[in-house]
Amino acid sequence: MLNDVLTRPVPQDVARDERAPEAPAAGSWTAPVLSASGDAGVDLRESIRAKLTFALGRTPETARPRDWFAATALALRERIVAAALAAERSVPNKRVYYLSLEFLIGRLMSDAMNNLGLTETTRAALRELGVDLDAVQEAEPDAALGNGGLGRLAACFMESMASIGIPAMGYGIRYDHGLFRQSFEDGWQREAPETWLAEGNPWEFARPEATYAIGFGGTVTMSSAEEGVIRRHWQPAETVRAVAHDVPVVGWRGRHVNALRLWKAEAGEPVDLARFNGGDHVGAVAARMRAEAISRVLYPSDSSAEGQELRLRQEYFFTAASIQDLVARHVAERGDVRSLPDHAAIQLNDTHPAIAVPELMRVLIDAHGLSWEDAWHVTTHTLHYTNHTLLPEALETWPVELMERLLPRHMQIIYLINWMHLEEQAKHARQDTASDNAAYLASISLIDESHGRRVRMGHLAFHGARRVNGVSALHTDLMRSTVFSDLHALDTDKIVNKTNGITFRRWFHNANPGLTRLAVETVGAGVLDNPELLRGLEAHAEDPVFVARYAAVRRERKEALANLIAERTGIDVDPAALFDVQVKRIHEYKRQLLNILETVTLYQAIKAEPHRDWTPRVKIFAGKAAPSYVQAKLIIKLACDVAKAVNDDPEVAGRLKVVFLPNYSVSLAEAIIPAADLSEQISTAGLEASGTGNMKFALNGALTVGTLDGANIEIRDHVGADNIFIFGLEADGVKARQAEPDYAAKAIQASPRLAAALDMIAAGRFSPEEPGRFRPLTDDLRRRDQYLLTADFDDYWRVQRAIDAAWRDPRGWWAKAIRNTARMAWFSSDRAMREYAEEIWRVRLG
C-alpha cells in the first residue's frame, strides 16, 4: 500500500536539496518518521475510542460519522501536539509571517494522515472499530475560508513551509461561515451560509491568552515628549477583541509543524446589562453583534457603504492583530524592536493586508517610541508584498473619508508617507512641463485624486515593501510595464518574479493515490520526497504496459466522478467520453462564456450532422459567482439552461453532455481534477496572474487548452509545446485589438458560427419561457466584448477540433498525458517557497 512506502527510508541517491530536509531549520523541531506498525495501530484505535467516549460523550453504538471524524481528528491531533508545542518553545533565527485574508484549507484529515504516514494505520484502526475511513473523511466539513486560487495558494504555501522546514506562522480570520454554500434553483445560483463551525473544529486550539484590542474610529491627540518630540495618541471610539485560534500545519513525514493563527472577533463586553435590565434586550447585544460581524462571513458584499466599511474593518482587524502579535513575540524573544527585520519577514498576500504598512509604523512609533526614520527603516525591511492581479477593480482602493473616520491615526501616517514620497520625487522630476510633472506625481501618489479621493492600497503596499513579487513570468513583466510602471521606474530592483506552485502532497499523493502508487512502483519511493524523479515516467510514455496502467488509473477516477455527478445532479455521463473540465471562480475574464459559446456551436453542429463520427464529450463546469456579480450569475444560469437543452435532446445522446456541479470546494476539486482529460485555462491573455488549477490538472495528466496567459506560458515551456493546446491572442495582441474600433462587431461578422450561436442564445432558444433572459450577455459581446471572446472564438473552435482528433488517437493522447505528469515537478510549492526563502525573506533553510 502507498502508506507502507511512506515509512521506508529515502534512497540515498535522492538529491538532498530537492527533498524534505534531514536537518531542522534553526530553532525548529524535528520528529522521527512515524511508523504504521501494529503497535501504532492499536494505540491509535484505543485513542480514537477514548476520544469518542471521554471528549465527545458518545458510545460506538450512538456515534454518527461526524462524531467518528471528531474523535479521529482529536486522536491524530495528539500526535501533532508535541511537535507543535516544541515549535512554539523554540526561537528560530528568523520566522516568516504570512498574512492572508483567505486560507482555503479545505478538509485537513487527509493532509494530516498522509504527512504523518498514518493513512493506512488510521484505516485499519477504524475498521477494527467497525467504521469506514472514507465515510469518516466525508463527514469533515470543508473549511471554506477562501474564495479561490488566492486562498488555496496560501494553504499550499503553509504546508510547503512546514514540509521544507521554514519556521512560519500564517495569519488570517476564523470566519464563522466562510464562503457561501452554493445551490441551484432552476439553474439560478442561490447562496446560503456555510456552517463549517456548527459542531466545532477539532483541529484547532483556542488561545485566549493571545487576545489583542483592535481600535476603530475616535480621535488623535498630541503631546510633547522629551527634546520637543511630538507624540500622537489614538483614542479609539470602539474596541474589538481579536482572539487567537491556532490550527497546526503538519509538514511532510511529520518533521515540522507550523501554526495557522486565525483571529475571531469578540466584543469587549458580551452584553450591556443596564440596557438588558431596562428591557432593551436586542439593543443590549448590539455592540456584540457589530463586533462579531467582523469574523462572521468571508467577503461581505461591498456594494453598499455598510458593506465597504465591514470589508475595511475585516482587513484592519486581522492585520492589526497579526502585527501586534508578531511584534510582541519578537520583543519577548529579542528585546529590541529595531532588530525586527533580522528575525522576521512579513509577506502580504495581495492588498488585503496592505494596511500593515501604517499599522506597523503606528506600533513602532506610538507604542515603542521609535523615530519616524527608524520606524520606516524597520517597516520597509520587514514587509514584502505579493501582487495577484492586473485588473483595476481588484487593486483595492478605499475612500479617504472612510479611512479618516475608521482609522484616523493611520490616515495621518499615510499622508505623511505620501508627502515625503512625493517631495523626494519632485526634487528629481524630469518631466518636460509642469503639467507633465503634476501628472507623474499623481500617478505615483498613494492618494488617487481623480475618483473622489481614494487610498491606493497597491501603491501603499508597494511603497512599504522591501520586495514586490508577481506570480508568473508574464504577470511580473506586465506589473512592471502597466499597473506599477511609474513606481517600478523609481526602484527597478524591487519587483521580482516568483511563479506559483502547488503542494504535491495534497494534489498528487492525496487526490490521486492510484497514480502516485504507479509512480512509486515505476521510478521508486524517492519520488514522494523528490518530485523531480517524476521525470522518470517519461521513458514509459509509449510503453503499452505502463500506458494501460496509467489509463486504468484515469478510468477509475472518471468512474468515481461519473458516480458523483449522477448523485449530485441526476445526470448520467459516460466515463469513456472526453472529460472537458473548467472549474474555477466564475468571472467574465476567466471566460466560462467562451466555453459555453463553443458548446452551443458544437451542439448546433451535431444537430446539423447527427451521423458524423463526433468525439464524445462531457463538458464539466463548477464554480461560484460573487453574490452581487450579476453577469457572472447570468453566465451560470446560461450554462445550466444549455445543459438542460443538450442533455434532454435525443439527437445528441452519446456525443455531448453538459454538467454544472454545485458548491465547488477543495474536496470537490480533489474528485474532479484526477478525472479530467482536458483542462480549460482560457482566460483573456494578460489578465490571469498565474493560476494554480492549471498546475494541478497538468500534474494529474490532463492536457491543457489555454491562452498564453499566466503560468500557462511556463507550463508550455516545461511540458513542451506538443503536449498542450494553445490558442488565441497573446497579451500584446489583446491590447492592440482593444484599441481597434468596433472590433467585436467585425469579429462576429467574420464568424458565421459565432454569429449563429449568439443569435440562438439571444432569440431565447435556451430560455423559451423568457426569451430575452440572456440578452445582457449577447448585447455586451456585440457592443464592447471587454474580454475579447469574439476575437478568440474561431481559434478556440479550431483548437477544440484538433483536440477531438487527438482524443481519437489514444496512444498519442496518453503519451502527451504522461509527459505532462512527468514534467510538472518544477511547479511544486516547495520550489516556490525555497525561492521566497532565499531571494525575498532571506531565511536559511535546514
Side-chain angles (χ1 to χ4, degrees), residues 194-215:
E194 181 57 71
T195 56
W196 75 288
L197 282 175
E199 297 189 46
N201 178 12
W203 298 112
E204 71 182 8
F205 296 89
R207 302 293 193 201
E209 71 279 7
T211 297
Y212 297 90
I214 309 302

Side-chain angles (χ1 to χ4, degrees), residues 6 16 218 303 320 326 338 462 506 518 677 703 798:
L6 301 186
R16 189 182 184 289
S303 58
L326 68 91
R338 290 173 176 82
F462 187 104
R506 185 67 172 255
L518 178 59
D677 297 307
L703 304 189
R798 174 200 60 78

Side-chain angles (χ1 to χ4, degrees), residues 621-674:
F621 296 88
K624 298 178 181 179
S628 60
Y629 194 169
V630 175
Q631 287 289 89
K633 295 175 84 168
L634 195 57
I635 289 169
I636 291 177
K637 174 59 174 169
L638 175 60
C640 291
D641 284 356
V642 169
K644 187 176 187 303
V646 169
N647 298 339
D648 290 348
D649 193 329
E651 285 190 315
V652 298
R655 300 173 178 86
L656 181 63
K657 285 284 182 77
V658 183
V659 175
F660 202 119
L661 280 163
N663 205 36
Y664 187 51
S665 63
V666 175
S667 300
L668 185 54
E670 289 176 302
I672 293 172
I673 288 171

Side-chain angles (χ1 to χ4, degrees), residues 24 52 63 92 162 236 241 262 266 336 369 400 407 439 460 476 512 644 646 660 679 683 691 714 722 744 787 841 846:
L52 185 72
R241 288 159 37 96
L262 302 175
E266 293 183 356
D336 187 1
V400 166
L407 302 170
L460 179 63
T476 301
N512 206 337
K644 187 176 187 303
V646 169
F660 202 119
S679 163
S683 52
E714 287 145 296
D722 292 337
Y787 299 108
W841 302 328

Side-chain angles (χ1 to χ4, degrees), residues 747-773:
I748 295 169
Q749 186 177 11
S751 175
R753 288 191 184 93
L754 175 58
L758 290 172
D759 288 345
M760 193 175 187
I761 295 168
R765 169 63 179 80
F766 302 103
S767 55
E769 73 284 5
E770 187 183 346
R773 176 183 296 155

Side-chain angles (χ1 to χ4, degrees), residues 406-473:
L406 209 61
L407 302 170
R409 177 64 179 129
H410 298 76
M411 273 310 301
Q412 290 180 343
I413 294 171
I414 290 170
Y415 282 138
L416 187 50
I417 292 173
N418 198 40
W419 178 79
M420 297 177 75
H421 167 54
L422 295 180
E423 282 289 298
E424 180 65 23
Q425 298 314 314
K427 294 176 185 176
H428 307 291
R430 298 179 180 177
Q431 279 62 40
D432 295 332
T433 67
S435 61
D436 288 342
N437 188 46
Y440 166 70
L441 293 177
S443 74
I444 62 172
S445 173
L446 305 186
I447 311 294
D448 181 359
E449 305 281 355
S450 62
H451 298 91
R453 301 195 72 226
R454 302 178 71 90
V455 180
R456 293 166 163 157
M457 303 307 285
H459 280 47
L460 179 63
F462 187 104
H463 194 51
R466 190 183 76 83
R467 287 287 181 267
V468 176
N469 72 279
V471 290
S472 73

Side-chain angles (χ1 to χ4, degrees), residues 34 146 176 182 188 398 408 413 415 443 477-478 528 616 637 639 673:
L34 298 179
D176 292 342
Q182 179 196 55
W188 290 105
W398 292 108
I413 294 171
Y415 282 138
S443 74
D477 287 343
L478 289 173
L528 297 172
K637 174 59 174 169
I673 288 171

